[in-house]
Amino acid sequence: MYHSNPNHNRFKFCPACGSNTLDPDSIKSFKCRECGFEFFLNCAAAAMAIILDDQNRILVTVRAKEPGKGSLDLPGGFAEPGESIDHGLVREIKEELNLDIFGLDFFCSFANAYPYKSVVYPITDMAFTCKVRDFALINPMDDVAGFRFIPVNELDINMFGMDSARKVLKKFKKYFQTLSKY
Ligand SMILES: [Zn+2]
């Protein structure tokens, strides 16, 4: 939870009247002193895929772009306007890895922030376990530079550049160890 607007210094000019009078009005909104215009920077929805192969190895990607370029990540991305979160994840995994996922099952959600070009975007991250029938056509593309299959028990959280993936994997490792006991 934020105590102040993380972009309080970023936006100054009102998009409606053009005056230099746009003030932060809450942790997620701005209001113009001059004309009363209000602007909200609401949470963007993002999804990550937890995909295991038949040897309980998790599919991770290598980030091609900043932030966190070259570090490991979970595949996924933002839902587009007008798109559901599950359809967004299916689309992202197709775009990034040329894989068709199915059987999406909600695993967990975290609040996060995504700093990009000096704007901090508030994010609602969601992680889903997903299935893949055939990995044969896997092909890293788009904002993914490569991929690896890592046994869940050998996952090193510190190799992941994004806080979002680290939070999800920490929780998933615990969950997986509990499963393995039975
Ligand atoms: Zn204004």
Side-chain angles (χ1 to χ4, degrees):
M1 187 68 194
Y2 295 116
H3 298 290
S4 65
N5 189 313
N7 297 299
H8 61 100
N9 282 329
R10 190 59 194 158
F11 301 106
K12 292 190 185 103
F13 291 91
C14 172
C17 73
S19 309
N20 182 16
T21 48
L22 198 63
D23 290 332
D25 196 43
S26 74
I27 56 166
K28 62 171 185 180
S29 66
F30 304 83
K31 191 171 183 179
C32 178
R33 287 197 303 275
E34 198 63 32
C35 74
F37 176 82
E38 287 180 87
F39 172 69
F40 289 82
L41 204 55
N42 285 310
C43 293
M48 284 169 270
I50 301 170
I51 302 167
L52 297 184
D53 69 1
D54 53 10
Q55 299 167 61
N56 282 332
R57 298 180 306 169
I58 190 165
L59 173 58
V60 303
T61 54
V62 179
R63 290 180 67 85
K65 294 175 187 169
E66 296 295 349
K69 186 178 175 181
S71 66
L72 296 184
D73 201 3
L74 285 172
F78 292 107
E80 294 286 348
E83 187 178 54
S84 70
I85 195 70
D86 49 333
H87 283 171
L89 188 56
V90 168
R91 175 186 50 72
E92 286 282 347
I93 303 307
K94 186 72 177 176
E95 285 172 8
E96 292 182 342
L97 293 163
N98 192 38
L99 291 178
D100 296 304
I101 57 170
F102 67 101
L104 279 67
D105 209 356
F106 176 78
F107 178 64
C108 67
S109 174
F110 287 104
N112 265 311
Y114 190 85
Y116 187 72
K117 302 203 171 174
S118 72
V119 175
V120 178
Y121 294 89
I123 310 295
T124 304
D125 272 321
M126 287 160 258
F128 295 83
T129 55
C130 322
K131 294 182 173 67
V132 171
R133 264 189 203 94
D134 187 6
F135 289 99
L137 293 175
I138 191 166
N139 182 26
M141 295 173 291
D142 199 26
D143 45 5
V144 167
F147 66 91
R148 287 168 64 185
F149 286 95
I150 302 177
V152 177
N153 294 324
E154 292 171 22
L155 273 175
D156 178 1
I157 305 294
N158 298 318
M159 291 179 72
F160 290 78
M162 306 300 286
D163 207 33
S164 51
R166 286 196 293 264
K167 283 177 182 166
V168 168
L169 288 171
K170 204 172 157 189
K171 195 174 171 87
F172 186 73
K173 269 183 90 167
K174 250 185 209 165
Y175 167 75
F176 187 79
Q177 280 156 8
T178 315
L179 277 187
S180 311
K181 278 183 195 158
Y182 301 102

